[in-house]
Amino acid sequence: MDSQEKLEALGVAAQYDLCGACCNPKNDPKAHRQRGHMERWVYPAALPDGRSILLMKVLMSNVCENNCLYCVNRRGNDQPILSFAPQELASLFMRMFYANLVQGLFLSSAIFKSAVQTMDRMIKTVELLRYRYRFQGYIHLKVLPGAGISQLERAVKLADRVSVNLEAPSVSRLSKIAPQKRFSEELLSRIRLLSRLIKQANHGKRYGPKGQTTQFVVGAAGESDTEILGISKNLYDKLDLSRIYFSAFQPAVGTPLDGLKPTPLLREHRLYQTDFLFRRYGFSMEEIGFTEEGNLPLGKDPKTIWAEGHPEYFPVEVNTAPKELLLRIPGFGPITVKRILHIRTEHRIRSPDQLKRMGAVIKNASGYVLLDGHLLGRSQSSQLEIWKPEPVSFGLSAVPLPV
Ligand code: SF4
């Protein structure tokens, strides 16, 4: 099989790894699964600085020593064995780069023979790109469970983004879907060390040009959203993760979990919305509403649920409210709030059209906003009658990270 054919096959196999950069400002649940229309191994991605680029997303190898129950590359799965040599992959990437098909690389792998050996081949590939081909662009390097300490140091030095897939929120949940992976020793300990190395590389700053991400498979281990979000909040707060990705479990044919029901994409979407509330709106875990089962209600977005549960904050006068309160209004995003803060230094905001032009979603904000003293949308009393909060409870805290 020639390199191009391998790229086709190993690019398809890489679709289950969500790239650290594969995110979109609108948090569209399907967006990170999209591939470029040209080739199956090209994935559109948004960089942390907002730029959009095309990544070559590919596996070094599709043969794994592990036996994760949801994975198409698990040991014993009946498929042709494919693997790149470092030089082969590096030169192939550069050809695609010079042909202007891609601008960056996302490199992951199944564990071929051993984690350390596979990681060596991945690092070698990136070294060739950085030192032989002088490639300065974006590289995201997956760190495999069980990778060595010196390999982590090398990965942080070479790549813009690194990631260890945590997959599940606790030891017991992980053992249900990936019995060979050791949650604390192989995964969390690596995330901790990467966090320290990245901070050093960013000259002591929590966030800088280097960063790390992680990923959860949602719904395969029977975990609740509270469990996933609890550990996610701690990973952001304590270990400075740049992003966390949620992948709704979709059963793959031929795997032990192929009879399990798929997780609704809407659940994944609600997790992303809550993640956004943590990172961009300053919400705490205690402010998120959960059902009795510890899940996010699917019927409404988490910010609206918070607003419905806290009528004492509303309506908010757009012309005078502080930034923190403006960010709490349903239908107002960080960009809209930034524009409001700027515009109101020049003149008062009086009409819904002005708000709309600044990016506000008027139907969501209706009933929560005063425009120069006038309630936007329905009258406040009728709005209060319409509010029928779903049975949710607030006040759950994030559990500490296991040692
Ligand atoms: S470690 Fe698990 S998830 Fe990763 S490739 Fe191997 S079997 Fe799949």
Side-chain angles (χ1 to χ4, degrees):
M1 188 179 274
D2 68 19
S3 301
Q4 184 67 41
E5 288 167 334
K6 272 192 216 173
L7 180 58
E8 297 290 335
L10 290 171
V12 171
Q15 67 180 293
Y16 303 100
D17 265 310
L18 306 187
C19 36
C22 291
C23 57
N24 60 97
K26 290 186 179 154
N27 279 330
D28 176 351
K30 297 195 191 86
H32 64 245
R33 291 188 170 79
Q34 286 168 1
R35 291 177 222 147
H37 58 279
M38 301 177 301
E39 306 283 356
R40 290 189 295 175
W41 37 268
V42 177
Y43 291 75
L47 292 183
D49 63 9
R51 279 180 303 133
S52 178
I53 63 168
L54 293 174
L55 291 182
M56 176 195 277
K57 186 156 71 149
V58 70
L59 298 186
M60 197 82 209
S61 169
N62 65 345
V63 190
C64 198
E65 292 298 304
N66 276 355
N67 193 10
C68 305
L69 305 185
Y70 52 85
C71 179
V72 289
N73 298 317
R74 54 192 279 278
R75 190 179 61 220
N77 208 16
D78 189 20
Q79 63 178 339
I81 297 172
L82 297 171
S83 201
F84 276 116
Q87 178 60 54
E88 180 186 16
L89 182 53
S91 60
L92 182 63
F93 172 80
M94 290 313 296
R95 280 213 305 279
M96 302 306 164
F97 175 69
Y98 285 128
N100 212 16
L101 293 174
V102 291
Q103 290 95 42
L105 173 69
F106 177 96
L107 182 57
S108 184
S109 187
I111 298 173
F112 182 52
K113 295 186 180 157
S114 78
V116 170
Q117 279 187 54
T118 310
M119 213 52 236
D120 267 344
R121 288 154 61 90
M122 294 164 74
I123 288 170
K124 181 75 190 159
T125 306
V126 180
E127 282 175 342
L128 286 166
L129 290 174
R130 291 294 195 219
Y131 301 131
R132 178 173 296 175
Y133 296 106
R134 309 260 171 222
F135 175 69
Q136 311 264 314
Y138 182 87
I139 295 179
H140 182 134
L141 187 58
K142 186 66 67 181
V143 172
L144 303 179
I149 306 300
S150 61
Q151 293 180 318
L152 268 60
E153 291 167 349
R154 204 74 194 120
V156 169
K157 192 170 168 49
L158 291 164
D160 304 276
R161 280 284 176 278
V162 289
S163 55
V164 176
N165 284 359
L166 212 39
E167 314 288 21
S170 64
V171 179
S172 60
R173 296 295 184 191
L174 186 68
S175 68
K176 290 188 177 166
I177 55 172
Q180 288 161 318
K181 286 183 180 167
R182 289 176 298 152
F183 186 84
S184 296
E185 301 85 337
E186 283 186 343
L187 306 179
L188 200 52
S189 68
R190 298 302 190 270
I191 292 176
R192 279 203 171 91
L193 180 53
L194 285 171
S195 167
R196 284 205 294 277
L197 293 168
I198 287 167
K199 200 164 180 181
Q200 279 166 19
N202 287 335
H203 306 292
K205 292 193 187 131
R206 286 186 73 188
Y207 302 106
K210 307 266 181 187
Q212 77 163 314
T213 68
T214 190
Q215 175 178 330
F216 291 102
V217 178
V218 177
E223 77 292 330
S224 66
D225 292 342
T226 326
E227 291 173 68
I228 294 178
L229 290 169
I231 190 165
S232 299
K233 187 75 173 87
N234 267 322
L235 289 169
Y236 283 129
D237 292 348
K238 307 266 182 347
L239 299 180
D240 307 333
L241 263 73
S242 311
R243 280 299 307 262
I244 295 173
Y245 294 89
F246 309 103
S247 179
F249 166 74
Q250 307 295 304
V253 177
T255 60
L257 298 186
D258 74 357
L260 208 63
K261 265 174 53 181
T263 302
L265 288 183
L266 187 54
R267 179 175 174 194
E268 179 186 298
H269 185 53
R270 295 287 180 239
L271 286 167
Y272 275 117
Q273 286 179 317
T274 309
D275 174 273
F276 210 55
L277 293 183
F278 289 159
R279 292 186 299 113
R280 302 289 301 279
Y281 293 80
F283 275 67
S284 67
M285 184 72 183
E286 289 80 0
E287 291 176 302
I288 304 299
F290 291 100
T291 63
E292 265 180 25
E293 295 75 36
N295 290 320
L296 296 165
L298 295 182
K300 247 176 219 167
D301 72 88
K303 193 177 173 192
T304 299
I305 287 172
W306 179 84
E308 287 181 346
H310 295 83
E312 68 274 18
Y313 288 100
F314 299 103
V316 168
E317 172 55 62
V318 167
N319 288 288
T320 52
K323 179 182 172 188
E324 295 69 31
L325 202 45
L326 291 173
L327 280 170
R328 296 286 166 139
I329 299 171
F332 281 29
I335 293 174
T336 301
V337 169
K338 197 172 166 195
R339 287 174 183 152
I340 289 170
L341 293 172
H342 175 70
I343 294 282
R344 77 185 192 185
T345 61
E346 294 168 358
H347 54 78
R348 293 186 75 77
I349 301 164
R350 294 202 163 92
S351 77
D353 274 351
Q354 279 175 291
L355 278 183
K356 208 168 160 185
R357 282 198 295 277
M358 288 185 268
V361 182
I362 301 299
K363 78 172 167 29
N364 294 0
S366 180
Y368 294 103
V369 166
L370 286 177
L371 280 172
D372 221 11
H374 299 286
L375 189 73
L376 175 69
R378 295 176 285 262
S379 73
Q380 192 180 359
S381 57
S382 67
Q383 176 66 17
L384 285 169
E385 280 160 28
I386 289 163
W387 281 350
K388 285 198 175 59
E390 293 187 34
V392 294
S393 50
F394 297 91
L396 291 169
S397 20
V399 287
L401 291 173
V403 181

